[in-house]
Amino acid sequence: MFDAEKFIEKTIDTLQTEIKGRALIAFSGGVDSTCSAVLANKAIGDRLIAVHVDTGYMRKNESINVKKMMEELSLNHRFIDASQEFYNALKDVKDPEKKRKIIGGNFIRIFERVAEKEGIEYLIQGTIAPDWIESGNHLRDTIKSHHNVGGLPENMKLKLVEPLREIYKDEVRKVARVLGLKISERQPFPGPGLAIRIIGEATPERTDVVREACYIVENEIEHAVDKGLMEKPWQYFAVLLPVRTVGVHGDKRAYGNIIAVRAVQSIDAMTCAYSDIPQEVLDGISTKITNTLGNKINRIVYDITNKPPSTVEWE
Amino acid sequence: MVRIYVIDNGGQWTHREWRTLRDLDVDTKIVPNTTDFQELYSEEIDGLVLSGGAPRIGLTNRLGKCGEYLEKADFPILGICAGHQFMARFFGGEVKPSKIPEFGKIELTLLREDEEIFEGVTKKSIVWESHNDEVIVLPKKFLLLAESENCKIQAMRHKGKPLYGLQFHPEVEHTAYGEQIFKNFANLCKK
């Protein structure tokens, strides 16, 4: 069985031997990168710098909270607002694999800039097993290029360190609990962020729409879980489909986009079953989204596919 | 400690097979399917799992050195998905693209009682699938152990040797008795 305490001990040891100079950790504020950061901090202390990049595709208030968290964890940190850079890079890009690769590449270029300025040689990432499995290689088919593996540019200068590479999310959570991290139960959020929750071009305007919809889905489901109405899903969010359908608003024709609600149960994301959301909760989500985003959205659908045949995120 | 290696045929769930075995305190390792049999043999393994993978066994008949392992092994082998299909073909069965490929949740029905590999598994249970091809003719020396509505050969075993094939995926969380099946296989390897 997986032993979190032994894992922590061994990993700190390995990081101490592996990292000779200064290292930066790509810090999103999720369970994987936070765990990696805390382990690395224990291993190399002051030689570690946590870098959070606001890609412009973060959830509501996310980057502000991450900044707070880096302070609470007493990490040496840098906060970089690169929204415009990401929006520009994704202009006119519709293909999901292209989006993922551009985002992966952009992250690395930003980290390289920080590294050069601060004399850093190592890049620590919170990569976990499904990231490299699904990114594929000579033997395995590429399901999707995870930005931190399949999205890495070939000519990367930084030396990569991935302390969680062989473990899965449920095991990372065990490590996070032993480390006493308050984010141990936080739902996964993909590195490419909201950009892959918009089918087609991820414009800033569409990002605002899906950001609000994700916020509503998260709130409604979390309230329902707190009230004991349903089991907490593994992941729960909204996807914006830039397809237009007809509706009626105050006796007038409406012609807006669609929001798909996605919620799944899993322990490791390698297989998933769609969540059983009670009717009244679905009702609340539907009404809140269409009332808040009325001029943009007039239809809400619920995704009822398992993995396989689908995947968790739509792109 | 029983030692069971996982032969990597490039499946999405190869690493899950390794993890399930590790969670059962089995001494395990993932090895490429290009490894020589002699090298495996010299490590004194007690059993082998042939993982699934993207190769279409219904269309071609290649799966690294899996044929060599099936020919020479005197220890138990568990073939999963593509590994199972390859095993069937290797012993003279037939594999074709599925008329109705299965993905995700399926109900499995066991067809024989008192099979060690299915000890503790109910007659009907939920398993997770992901296949484009399937075994349509069982090899002569094999027994049929389980079926589903759209795939009649879901599980098989050799009549004389400890060789087992499963079309479904016991290694994923959503297969109800998956871990139990691995436990049964590990017990078979201890013998």
Side-chain angles (χ1 to χ4, degrees), chain A residues 1-2 132-134 139-141 143 166 168 170-171 265-268 270-273 306-309, chain B residues 8-16 18-19 22-25 33 54 103-105 128-130 172-174:
Chain A
M1 214 52 197
F2 179 74
W132 59 262
I133 293 171
E134 294 195 334
L139 191 60
R140 233 171 300 284
D141 200 29
I143 307 303
E166 293 299 329
Y168 291 85
D170 58 309
E171 296 165 325
Q265 306 301 131
S266 182
I267 58 157
D268 57 12
M270 296 307 289
T271 48
C272 300
N306 297 327
K307 172 183 182 174
Chain B
D8 188 2
N9 292 312
Q12 290 293 314
W13 296 325
T14 302
H15 196 269
R16 278 280 335 179
W18 169 83
R19 180 188 165 171
R22 185 210 57 187
D23 284 355
L24 291 169
D25 290 326
N33 66 7
F103 305 106
K105 191 197 268 183
W128 229 248
E129 304 270 355
S130 193
V172 302
E173 179 220 349
H174 285 89

Side-chain angles (χ1 to χ4, degrees), chain A residues 134-254:
Chain A
E134 294 195 334
S135 292
N137 54 22
H138 64 283
L139 191 60
R140 233 171 300 284
D141 200 29
T142 301
I143 307 303
K144 48 180 78 170
S145 298
H146 288 261
H147 71 290
N148 51 346
V149 184
L152 295 181
E154 274 166 26
N155 55 346
M156 207 177 98
K157 292 173 209 142
L158 289 158
K159 288 177 212 148
L160 205 55
V161 180
E162 296 175 324
L164 310 178
R165 200 180 148 81
E166 293 299 329
I167 67 177
Y168 291 85
K169 189 75 88 183
D170 58 309
E171 296 165 325
V172 182
R173 292 198 201 284
K174 284 183 187 159
V175 173
R177 283 176 212 136
V178 174
L179 292 172
L181 304 179
K182 65 178 186 192
I183 45 81
S184 64
E185 313 309 313
R186 198 169 176 230
Q187 70 155 322
F189 183 63
L194 300 175
I196 55 160
R197 291 182 179 174
I198 298 163
I199 308 306
E201 190 185 348
T203 63
E205 297 73 30
R206 286 175 176 174
T207 308
D208 287 341
V209 174
V210 82
R211 181 181 289 120
E212 191 60 33
C214 277
Y215 180 70
I216 294 170
V217 171
E218 285 189 16
N219 270 343
E220 293 295 308
I221 287 186
E222 279 161 17
H223 283 154
V225 171
D226 288 346
K227 278 195 268 176
L229 294 175
M230 60 182 284
E231 200 184 320
K232 188 175 190 251
W234 154 270
Q235 212 164 325
Y236 42 103
F237 54 91
V239 181
L240 172 63
L241 316 186
V243 174
R244 296 171 86 188
T245 75
V246 174
V248 53
H249 281 172
D251 299 328
K252 284 179 89 73
R253 175 188 162 94

Side-chain angles (χ1 to χ4, degrees), chain B residues 167-180:
Chain B
Q167 180 53 66
F168 63 93
H169 290 269
E171 68 275 24
V172 302
E173 179 220 349
H174 285 89
T175 292
Y177 292 98
E179 198 183 61
Q180 180 65 39

